[in-house]
Amino acid sequence: MRSEAAEGRTVIVSIEGLSKSYRRGNQIIPVLQDVSFTIAEGEFLALMGPSGSGKSTLLNLIAGIDKVDTGSILVGGADITSLSEAELASWRAIHVGFIFQFYNLMPVLTAFENVELPLLLTGLGRKERREHVEMVLNVVGLADRMDHYPSQLSGGQQQRVAIARAIVTDPEILVADEPTGDLDRASAEDVLTLMDNLVHEFGKTIIMVTHDPRAAEKAHLIRHLEKGFLSQ
Amino acid sequence: MGIPYYYSFRNLWTRRLTTILTASGMALVVFVFAATLMLAEGLRRTLVETGSWDNVVVIRKSAVSEVQSGVERLQAAIVETQPEVAIGADGRPLLAKEMMVLINLPKRGSDKPANVIIRGIGPSSLALRPQVSLKEGRMPRSGSAEVIAGASIAKRFKGGGLGETLHFGMRNWTVVGVFDAGSTGFSSEIWGDADQLMQAFRRPVYSSVLFKLRDPGSFTVVKQRIESDPRLTLEAKRETRYYLDQSEAMAKFLSILGIALTVTFSLGAIIGAMITMYAAVANRIVEIGTLRALGFNKRSILGAFILESLFLGLLGGVIGLFLASFMQLITISTMNWQSFAELAFSFSMTFAIAWKSLVFSLVMGFVGGVLPAFRAARMNIVDALRSS
Ligand SMILES: Nc1ncnc2c1ncn2[C@@H]1O[C@H](COP(=O)(O)OP(=O)(O)OP(=O)(O)O)[C@@H](O)[C@H]1O
Ligand SMILES: [Mg+2]
């Protein structure tokens, strides 16, 4: 598995012996069991599998918003499992972009302000922030909508604003949990094309959880999770 | 940089109705808080204006007011010879040996009796009180049963008007003048010749000696000399201090009342704010999870929600203060607890009261918001994101 993903390209995510279980009352639910694989830089990876197989859990662990039980996750050479909570927060702000199924924009902020949010965690000045935001809104084709609130945008447009927010800090990896799950076919198509562009033109690495075969088709590589075990 | 302030602010705006209702609760408390302070301030102002800085009141040691005091004629004469006493234009010392009694007089209209101060005055009494001036009529002649009445007495008490007759001390007294004393306590007094009144009330002693200092800075010297003279059992106070001391009991009462009311009410308002903020957190769990995922730390989340609650408190504070400022139009008439005479004063707003009220409203906002904010900050990111 490892050789196939690497294929001469730089490895950006390297997962080794990863296990994760949840506790519900005094019952322990194993979710991921001894998962190991690597993701190459510039990869567009689709994670598939039945509901409850642990796809979101795996994605959350790679994105550094959940804690592993055992195993290690190296992103860009750094072992994120050894970071403290505060260190992880700063790490996410720089290295990870998030794309959610329901967009998760702040309803009280305009498109511009939503995209600007992650930049507030960097040392950038007001003017530079504006330049960055305008640039990424251009990339997603919504520069003319930057003063609109999420409620004034369609689902597809909201997801594109969310993608702009995910890439505005120029992170190495993007994690997307069912990014087209709430969209009609045309909007889904737009979003997938956009993600494809991010990989091809901007060299981003995308890890996408999806149930949608059309979405998986866009990806270079599909991995299946089955009851906590990774298969092809 | 953390979560921008406008995030907190706009969330309040988005749920305006809840915001207004919650802020109204706090506004009510701030209103009560500010109104009590304004009342105490109004009282203090009235009483301080009643006195002059360069006047000295001499009363019996440990007597809080003139009503409880007694100054024997011989003692008064000793005070009169102090070199610090100012001399008037007519060459006589600016000093008044006064007597004070408290009596009941019926009010106009209702006939209900209320306490009134009768003050026996000397020739210099009016000159010693620049805030008092004769408005109508003339001064009473010494040796006659004539009096002058404060404007408030003339208006509210039976027989108190110019040319009318009052009955007390087993005699009839003609009101030959009405004096104006602004908002000071003198407005509620009746003045007559000290010797006549002492006879009528069978009082052998004066109540107080009031004099003006030749040099306002010499107060400590004369105070020291009077209080250490073995023939005198007297105490000297600046007139301003004397009236302030009189207001102490009332001020204490007002502040206890104010604190009791404010604390009780503020508990309600704080719980209201807490419920609102808990609801705000519950409605925004996914947002909070998202902000955390984007890299905002717990402190940013805590800050954003506390800021929201502070805005809420501030809004309540501003509304409460705005309402309280209208209280300045109201005049209160009440008992002076020391002399038991009627005293009229109004609510008075000061800069200090305004900012104390705003700080108080911010404290309420903070206390109400801190627990919900901690709940928001401590949420597990994955759980928060899953709750969509
Ligand atoms: N915080 C949690 N507490 C308890 N159990 C959890 C928690 N998160 C996930 N699980 C359980 O872990 C298993 C895997 O969940 P996960 O969300 O990763 O599945 P998934 O593959 O993303 O499913 P879906 O396709 O429905 O989104 C499920 O059985 C789920 O109930
Ligand atoms: Mg999932």
Side-chain angles (χ1 to χ4, degrees):
Chain A
M1 279 190 288
R2 178 177 296 215
S3 56
E4 180 213 37
E7 256 179 64
R9 287 183 290 169
T10 322
V11 169
I12 186 137
V13 179
S14 167
I15 294 167
E16 196 63 59
L18 179 65
S19 296
K20 173 74 180 175
S21 54
Y22 284 110
R23 189 181 276 276
R24 199 173 284 155
N26 44 17
Q27 197 187 354
I28 291 176
I29 306 156
V31 180
L32 297 171
Q33 292 167 50
D34 196 23
V35 174
S36 302
F37 71 108
T38 58
I39 302 167
E41 192 169 15
E43 186 65 89
F44 189 174
L45 171 71
L47 268 178
M48 300 192 77
S51 184
S53 57
K55 304 180 296 294
S56 297
T57 304
L58 180 56
L59 197 70
N60 291 342
L61 289 169
I62 296 171
I65 55 173
D66 206 351
K67 281 270 171 198
V68 300
D69 291 345
T70 57
S72 68
I73 304 172
L74 273 74
V75 182
D79 185 358
I80 62 166
T81 57
S82 64
L83 298 179
S84 73
E85 199 179 65
E87 287 167 336
L88 262 181
S90 314
W91 176 81
R92 286 194 302 270
I94 301 165
H95 299 280
V96 190
F98 286 86
I99 302 165
F100 303 94
Q101 178 174 1
F102 300 106
Y103 337 125
N104 292 18
L105 298 174
M106 305 297 131
V108 299
L109 301 184
T110 62
F112 181 94
E113 289 162 344
N114 266 290
V115 176
E116 191 189 23
L117 266 185
L119 290 180
L120 299 176
L121 292 164
T122 67
L124 290 183
R126 201 185 175 80
K127 195 167 147 273
E128 289 161 299
R129 290 204 304 268
R130 171 158 281 275
E131 283 166 11
H132 278 68
V133 173
E134 282 172 355
M135 189 186 75
V136 291
L137 279 172
N138 265 315
V139 169
V140 301
L142 285 173
D144 54 333
R145 297 303 191 106
M146 63 187 183
D147 293 326
H148 286 56
Y149 287 90
S151 60
Q152 299 168 319
L153 299 171
S154 73
Q157 288 170 331
Q158 288 186 59
Q159 192 61 301
R160 276 146 65 198
V161 171
I163 291 173
R165 177 179 68 185
I167 60 174
V168 74
T169 55
D170 201 20
E172 291 99 324
I173 60 169
L174 298 178
V175 296
D177 199 340
E178 303 193 26
T180 57
D182 200 49
L183 297 176
D184 61 47
R185 193 182 291 181
S187 303
E189 196 60 38
D190 286 351
V191 163
L192 288 167
T193 309
L194 179 58
M195 289 170 76
D196 199 42
N197 282 344
L198 293 177
V199 173
H200 283 115
E201 291 175 29
F202 298 92
K204 299 285 164 212
T205 307
I206 298 182
I207 309 154
M208 171 177 69
V209 166
T210 189
H211 282 294
D212 179 3
R214 240 182 292 269
E217 234 166 64
K218 283 272 182 191
H220 309 158
L221 189 64
I222 304 172
R223 285 191 182 275
H224 290 273
L225 262 182
E226 205 84 50
K227 291 179 189 157
F229 293 99
L230 201 62
S231 59
Q232 283 303 304
Chain B
M1 209 184 303
I3 297 165
Y5 72 91
Y6 49 78
Y7 170 78
S8 309
F9 185 77
R10 285 193 210 152
N11 271 300
L12 285 175
W13 177 246
T14 304
R15 50 183 160 90
R16 321 183 241 298
L17 185 64
T18 322
T19 299
I20 289 292
L21 288 178
T22 314
S24 303
M26 302 218 225
L28 180 68
V29 182
V30 172
F31 174 81
V32 173
F33 179 79
T36 333
L37 290 183
M38 286 165 72
L39 201 59
E41 175 63 22
L43 177 70
R44 200 188 66 84
R45 215 173 256 195
T46 300
L47 288 168
V48 169
E49 278 169 13
T50 304
S52 301
W53 171 248
D54 51 2
N55 279 357
V56 178
V57 180
V58 182
I59 52 175
R60 197 183 62 209
K61 262 195 187 106
S62 79
V64 187
S65 80
E66 291 165 271
V67 177
Q68 300 136 13
S69 163
V71 180
E72 280 160 31
R73 284 173 188 273
L74 183 66
Q75 296 183 323
I78 295 171
V79 174
E80 201 167 6
T81 61
Q82 299 298 316
E84 285 82 7
V85 177
I87 305 294
D90 55 359
R92 285 192 303 186
L94 273 173
L95 174 141
K97 297 175 268 193
E98 300 189 339
M99 183 229 49
M100 184 193 258
V101 283
L102 203 64
I103 59 157
N104 261 316
L105 285 179
K107 285 195 169 186
R108 285 192 200 276
S110 69
D111 246 7
K112 272 215 309 244
N115 282 322
V116 164
I117 289 175
I118 309 285
R119 185 184 294 273
I121 58 165
S124 298
S125 286
L126 195 63
L128 281 164
R129 297 186 172 95
Q131 61 281 69
V132 181
S133 62
L134 201 62
K135 195 170 69 171
E136 289 174 89
R138 55 174 176 81
M139 292 298 287
R141 277 191 302 262
S142 63
S144 70
E146 293 176 346
V147 293
I148 52 175
S152 161
I153 296 283
K155 199 165 87 187
R156 305 216 319 273
F157 284 85
K158 210 170 230 175
L162 186 65
E164 295 184 302
T165 306
L166 289 162
H167 184 82
F168 56 82
M170 293 180 298
R171 273 167 80 172
N172 283 326
W173 306 79
T174 315
V175 181
V176 298
V178 174
F179 61 89
D180 181 54
S183 63
T184 66
F186 298 122
S187 288
S188 310
E189 293 188 0
I190 295 168
W191 291 6
D193 180 63
D195 291 326
Q196 289 298 312
L197 287 165
M198 283 164 82
Q199 261 179 34
F201 287 103
R202 297 180 213 290
R203 298 253 313 220
V205 297
Y206 296 110
S207 302
S208 65
V209 179
L210 174 70
F211 66 85
K212 191 182 172 83
L213 287 168
R214 199 190 291 261
D215 161 19
S218 60
F219 171 70
T220 353
V221 181
V222 70
K223 176 184 172 69
Q224 164 81 36
R225 188 167 332 102
I226 288 173
E227 291 181 0
S228 60
D229 191 322
R231 296 166 297 175
L232 306 177
T233 48
L234 304 177
E235 184 181 4
K237 290 181 180 184
R238 282 199 194 265
E239 202 184 14
T240 40
R241 180 79 248 163
Y242 168 75
Y243 286 109
L244 258 186
D245 287 350
Q246 290 216 336
S247 73
E248 212 169 7
M250 177 65 98
K252 212 173 268 172
F253 169 76
L254 279 179
S255 60
I256 289 170
L257 181 79
I259 288 168
L261 279 178
T262 311
V263 164
T264 337
F265 283 22
S266 68
L267 281 183
I270 287 170
I271 289 170
M274 210 180 280
I275 291 171
T276 306
M277 289 309 297
Y278 268 127
V281 172
N283 286 331
R284 274 189 268 152
I285 291 178
V286 179
E287 270 179 60
I288 295 163
T290 307
L291 287 166
R292 292 286 308 282
L294 293 182
F296 289 98
N297 57 24
K298 289 182 172 182
R299 220 171 343 121
S300 299
I301 304 287
L302 189 73
F305 278 91
I306 285 181
L307 189 66
E308 193 166 319
S309 191
L310 286 177
F311 273 138
L312 198 57
L314 191 64
L315 180 66
V318 169
I319 297 174
L321 263 184
F322 178 73
L323 295 178
S325 66
F326 284 102
M327 295 299 282
Q328 292 180 103
L329 304 174
I330 296 174
T331 299
I332 293 269
S333 134
T334 181
M335 290 292 198
N336 179 339
W337 280 34
Q338 230 72 54
S339 63
F340 298 100
E342 281 222 344
L343 184 68
F345 57 100
S346 37
F347 290 84
S348 121
M349 173 73 86
T350 63
F351 183 72
I353 292 175
W355 82 253
K356 269 186 205 162
S357 304
L358 289 182
V359 168
F360 177 63
S361 67
L362 287 174
V363 168
M364 274 197 293
F366 180 82
V367 175
V370 73
L371 287 181
F374 265 107
R375 169 180 284 187
R378 290 164 73 150
M379 224 143 25
N380 175 286
I381 304 176
V382 174
D383 290 343
L385 286 172
R386 279 171 66 94
S387 75
S388 46

